[in-house]
Amino acid sequence: MARTYVYILARKYTHSLTVKQTNCLFTSIRFSRANNFNADGFPIARIDDLVYYEEYRDRLVANTRCKELRTTDEPTLQKMVETLNPHWDDLWPQISISNRFVDKALKLYQKTWAAKDKSYRIE
């Protein structure tokens, strides 16, 4: 079974929370960080600090957990995050360098390099 992730993104200083679900945590977080600018190039509200995540092997269980977290009120979610991540640290650096995401990162960057430089070949 494929892994499914339920994760919470937070805004740095106001602790506004967003609950999401994905099959690839690396790609989803990278995409949310890349799309923090409007059409004019000005930054928009930045809600991209990964403060909490859960990994599931069953997609149905992840769906029910995501719905449960989305219906939970925000102060309760903030308390849950504070118990596991008291300083509201961004967990992205830990995930991006972990072994299971390194291969995906390399493939993603190789595709980007190949697109920019036509002489670069993916082996």
Side-chain angles (χ1 to χ4, degrees), residues 33-48:
R33 288 178 180 231
N35 292 324
N36 281 328
F37 299 96
N38 62 13
D40 298 326
F42 293 104
I44 56 176
R46 193 174 159 228
I47 303 180
D48 66 351

Side-chain angles (χ1 to χ4, degrees), residues 21-71:
Q21 177 182 353
T22 185
N23 291 333
C24 182
L25 191 59
F26 179 83
T27 305
S28 297
I29 302 299
R30 188 173 185 276
F31 181 76
S32 76
R33 288 178 180 231
N35 292 324
N36 281 328
F37 299 96
N38 62 13
D40 298 326
F42 293 104
I44 56 176
R46 193 174 159 228
I47 303 180
D48 66 351
D49 287 342
L50 178 67
V51 292
Y52 179 80
Y53 71 96
E54 298 173 355
E55 181 180 337
Y56 293 95
R57 297 234 180 230
D58 187 11
R59 187 178 217 167
L60 295 176
V61 175
N63 278 337
T64 56
R65 178 64 173 156
C66 188
K67 288 177 184 176
E68 178 186 332
L69 289 177
R70 284 182 179 162
T71 56

